[in-house]
Amino acid sequence: MKKKIFITLLFSVLFTGFAQSPDFKIKSAILISNNKIRLQCAKLDKDYEKIQLQISPKVDILEMERKGPNLDLTTSSSYKEGVEYTISFNSAGSEGSAKIDTSYLQQLRFNEMYTDKELGYIYKDGTSTFRLFVPRGVKVDVVIFNHPNDSLEQAEIHPMKNDGNQVFEYSQAGEMWGKYYGYRITERSYEPKQITPTVPMDSVFADPYSKAIVSCNEFPMRTRSLIYDTSNYDWEGTDWTKRNISSAIIMETHLKDLTTHATAKSANPGTYLGMIDAEVGGINYLEKLGVNTVEFLPLQEISEIEVPEFGKKEYGVENTWNVYRRNYWGYMTTNYFSPESSYASDATNKDGEWNGLNGVAVKEMRDMVKALHQKGFTVLMDVVYNHVSQNDINPLRFIDYEFYFKQTEKTGCGNELESRRKMVRRLVIDSLKYWMNEYKIDGFRFDLATAFDRATVEAIAKETREVNPEVFLIAEPWGGEGAVIRKDFQDCGWSYWC
């Protein structure tokens, strides 16, 4: 009798030892593709196939595959955005459930949203039209000012109409040169998270397709779009140099560094015009060096006043590191289509005053590029499409943060752009082609370029080379998500340097 009991107990112990642990739990469940769920598990034993799993509303589980502490479930692809899915389990008498994170479906929808309509301010056939893409906007206004410092009470506010594809439009007869404008979103289809700086989410922001920007020397830095006629400019027969990159001798420089110091002998130190008129610095200095290509640190509009005064905390931002308050180097872009207004002759350093009121940055930067081309120099721009400015009223951050930026940020700068979105990719390519066509820029060096996905790297090469087959495309081959590697750039015909 004792032997029988002993054998029975031994069999029971051995059988239980091969069964799934009663402490098994699902810590998280995430939809990672159209038909795959990843379960992060606790106490997952080798007999995982004995776990009873069920998805509600019903979706069939076709296959289970263990990956370390995780279980990947292949399912029938029947998921719908907006439906709440739950996965329940029964394992050795232990029961429980977890909500399935289906945000992948939203990401997929975001990636595919697209319009080919011209965006920004358009004057055509006697009509002024404003267009803004707002992925989850419900009510959007265009706000038109006579002066950028005008209040909302002094401004014209016009509701915009959704074309059905999330492009909001407003049109009126006549041109509007010299006016200032911005947009505000007063209703969305979701509740946006508060971002820094902690100003109201219905604040007025500039047009991301602005061709000219005015900026205020304050924190947080406000910007307005200037309606400026960019169509009339005489290039005097100059064009891209079409130099082959193999023969380039490149000088990388900050525009101000070549013209600001008194020894440069410039009548307009630290400006586009200073590059032209400097007797010792500027273009004359480049000629003496013997280089044939100049690569300017960022010339696109930046968030120049990037923090409050040193030691102070305002709008959720504390300045513990920048005694100057200003961003000198330019790697915090706030607009991808307009030249930096603080490098123009109508700029000011006075607190509370506005840069770029007359829009002369557009003409003066063109003058600089033309003068460089006349001397035989190839002109490159250092561009920052991997992230945007952090602590100003940046348009993309206020339009829809979850749409424009990655869920996980790896640039170290904040706000890593999600180039997998067709509309983000379009923004980047529209911007590059604009600088090539309207400013005769010969090429670009891309900051932290591995933040791009492969499709964007390919599209940039294809579309810019349709404009200028000899365009320089130079990657900084690291940083950000690391979605591509150096070989991807080589395969797509880019160059890179370390």
Side-chain angles (χ1 to χ4, degrees), residues 8-249:
T8 303
L9 288 172
L10 179 61
F11 175 79
S12 177
V13 170
L14 291 172
F15 179 80
T16 304
F18 285 100
Q20 186 60 230
S21 167
D23 296 325
F24 171 81
K25 286 183 176 61
I26 297 176
K27 297 165 70 174
S28 67
I30 303 172
L31 186 68
I32 59 173
S33 72
N34 283 330
N35 67 334
K36 187 164 286 189
I37 295 171
R38 177 157 294 162
L39 305 182
Q40 185 182 10
C41 306
K43 303 292 184 179
L44 180 64
D45 290 339
K46 61 183 179 180
D47 286 351
Y48 62 87
E49 292 179 347
K50 294 182 180 179
I51 305 169
Q52 297 176 23
L53 297 169
Q54 184 174 337
I55 298 172
S56 178
K58 182 174 174 56
V59 178
D60 293 331
I61 299 172
L62 307 177
E63 184 181 349
M64 287 196 296
E65 180 183 4
R66 180 170 184 167
K67 292 190 174 180
N70 301 328
L71 271 182
D72 281 2
L73 309 181
T74 302
T75 70
S76 55
S77 52
S78 306
Y79 302 96
K80 295 180 180 179
E81 190 177 356
V83 176
E84 187 171 299
Y85 294 90
T86 302
I87 184 163
S88 57
F89 66 87
N90 188 320
S91 174
S94 176
E95 297 181 350
S97 63
K99 181 181 175 181
I100 300 175
D101 179 354
T102 57
S103 57
Y104 167 83
L105 299 173
Q106 182 187 76
Q107 299 300 312
L108 198 64
R109 177 168 60 87
F110 281 175
N111 287 353
E112 295 303 312
M113 294 180 77
Y114 189 75
T115 178
D116 60 2
K117 280 189 174 181
E118 186 176 358
L119 300 174
Y121 171 82
I122 306 107
Y123 179 63
K124 187 177 182 180
D125 298 330
T127 300
S128 289
T129 300
F130 300 86
R131 288 202 193 105
L132 179 70
F133 174 67
V134 188
R136 294 184 287 175
V138 176
K139 293 182 180 179
V140 181
D141 297 327
V142 59
V143 185
I144 302 169
F145 304 92
N146 289 318
H147 188 277
N149 230 20
D150 287 349
S151 66
L152 288 176
E153 288 72 25
Q154 296 170 301
E156 297 177 34
I157 301 176
H158 300 283
M160 304 179 78
K161 184 178 179 181
N162 189 340
D163 73 347
N165 199 24
Q166 294 307 121
V167 176
F168 287 79
E169 303 175 322
Y170 169 75
S171 296
Q172 68 178 50
E175 47 83 10
M176 301 175 71
W177 310 128
K179 297 279 189 179
Y180 307 90
Y181 73 99
Y183 302 108
R184 67 174 185 176
I185 303 170
T186 58
E187 186 178 341
R188 309 168 191 253
S189 62
Y190 69 107
E191 186 62 35
K193 295 178 181 177
Q194 179 64 57
I195 58 177
T196 56
T198 53
V199 299
M201 293 301 291
D202 62 355
S203 295
V204 176
F205 54 84
D207 190 333
Y209 273 74
S210 299
K211 304 309 186 292
I213 284 284
V214 296
S215 61
C216 189
N217 295 326
E218 63 181 9
F219 181 81
M221 192 185 84
R222 283 181 296 154
T223 56
R224 298 285 183 261
S225 300
L226 170 61
I227 302 176
Y228 185 88
D229 187 359
T230 63
S231 63
N232 298 315
Y233 186 77
D234 183 6
W235 284 99
E236 300 180 41
T238 61
D239 207 342
W240 309 297
T241 59
K242 295 190 176 180
R243 173 175 279 110
N244 188 281
I245 194 170
S246 63
S247 65
I249 306 170

Side-chain angles (χ1 to χ4, degrees), residues 256-273:
K256 285 190 173 183
D257 288 350
L258 284 181
T259 62
T260 298
H261 197 270
T263 55
K265 294 187 178 181
S266 169
N268 296 276
T271 66
Y272 302 115
L273 295 181

